[in-house]
Amino acid sequence: MTSDILIRTLEPSDAEGFRSLRLEALTVSPEAFGASYEEDASVSMETMRARLSARPNVVLGAFADQALIGMAGFAVYDRVKARHKGVLWGVYVKAEWRGHQVGKRLVQHVIDHASRHVMMLEATVGLTNDGARRTYHGLGFKPYGIQRKALRVGDTFYDEELLYLDLPQPGDA
Ligand SMILES: CC(C)(COP(=O)(O)OP(=O)(O)OC[C@H]1O[C@@H](n2cnc3c(N)ncnc32)[C@H](O)[C@@H]1OP(=O)(O)O)[C@@H](O)C(=O)NCCC(=O)NCCS
């Protein structure tokens, strides 16, 4: 039952589950993520725990019977002149749980969280990634360009659609 799926912010104590799901994502869908399996596999558990405690950056996790089945990340740009913007990253739902609105709920939670911290949320998505494009477009993300050959996996290049979402601010009607 998808109504039984709990969505919450991952804490440092979730680092092992996070690492395992992240490495699964990079194995199953290498063309969907900027990081490679090898890059993330070499990240220490200490760094993983630190990534899960760097507020306001968060990774939201979807849980079924306490097992992590999906996730979506949010990060604010570091540099002073860009801190009004954030990035949606690392969206992944285990194959057997797809098509049940888990991805949509995760991204909506990221949007809700991001609205409390930044004015705009950015995302990139593979031009042929119909599931993710439909999920993001359905939640209001607007395309503003295409980056050609944004990613290279082996000998294959992938174009990416660049997306933004203006976020409601406190005090907006
Ligand atoms: C993209 C992904 C997160 C979607 O997760 P999901 O839980 O299956 O998505 P949802 O069930 O919430 O679907 C959201 C919307 O997208 C649509 N959708 C999902 N997968 C689809 C597909 N393969 N083709 C067409 N539409 C699809 C749904 O119909 C739904 O549309 P609606 O809101 O109009 O009803 C999941 O397919 C995934 O993990 N893919 C591999 C990793 C990846 O591509 N991540 C994104 C990186 S940018």
Side-chain angles (χ1 to χ4, degrees):
M1 283 271 290
T2 48
S3 56
D4 293 337
I5 289 170
L6 168 78
I7 297 192
R8 67 164 173 83
T9 301
L10 298 187
E11 302 295 340
S13 56
D14 296 304
E16 284 195 17
F18 168 58
R19 182 174 194 276
S20 159
L21 191 62
R22 176 79 177 152
L23 293 181
E24 175 184 313
L26 297 176
T27 305
V28 173
S29 307
E31 72 292 344
F33 303 102
S36 71
Y37 177 93
E38 291 74 18
E39 280 168 325
D40 272 33
S42 67
V43 173
S44 70
M45 284 306 294
E46 192 184 347
T47 303
M48 286 282 178
R49 280 191 281 274
R51 283 185 187 173
L52 296 179
S53 58
R55 302 288 179 262
N57 298 346
V58 288
V59 179
L60 291 160
F63 290 84
D65 286 336
Q66 297 176 30
L68 186 61
I69 58 144
M71 63 188 181
F74 165 75
V76 179
Y77 280 97
D78 268 345
R79 306 196 73 176
V80 173
K81 293 180 191 171
R83 281 185 197 157
H84 58 291
K85 299 182 295 182
V87 181
L88 170 70
W89 65 272
V91 180
Y92 181 73
V93 175
K94 274 180 166 289
E96 60 270 34
W97 286 94
R98 289 183 197 161
H100 297 286
Q101 309 278 292
V102 177
K104 192 173 183 173
R105 285 178 60 196
L106 279 164
V107 175
Q108 183 62 59
H109 272 71
V110 168
I111 292 169
D112 294 345
H113 174 81
S115 302
R116 297 194 282 276
H117 300 283
V118 291
M119 299 172 70
M120 186 192 289
L121 189 58
E122 296 180 350
T124 56
V125 61
L127 212 46
T128 57
N129 189 343
D130 293 338
R133 286 185 73 215
R134 177 136 184 186
T135 303
Y136 300 168
H137 289 199
L139 289 167
F141 280 89
K142 303 269 186 269
Y144 67 93
I146 289 168
Q147 186 174 19
R148 291 186 60 248
K149 296 186 179 174
L151 296 179
R152 178 181 183 169
V153 182
D155 290 335
T156 308
F157 293 91
Y158 294 90
D159 295 349
E160 286 194 330
E161 185 173 58
L162 310 174
L163 301 165
Y164 75 94
L165 177 67
D166 281 324
L167 298 169
Q169 297 298 294
D172 283 357

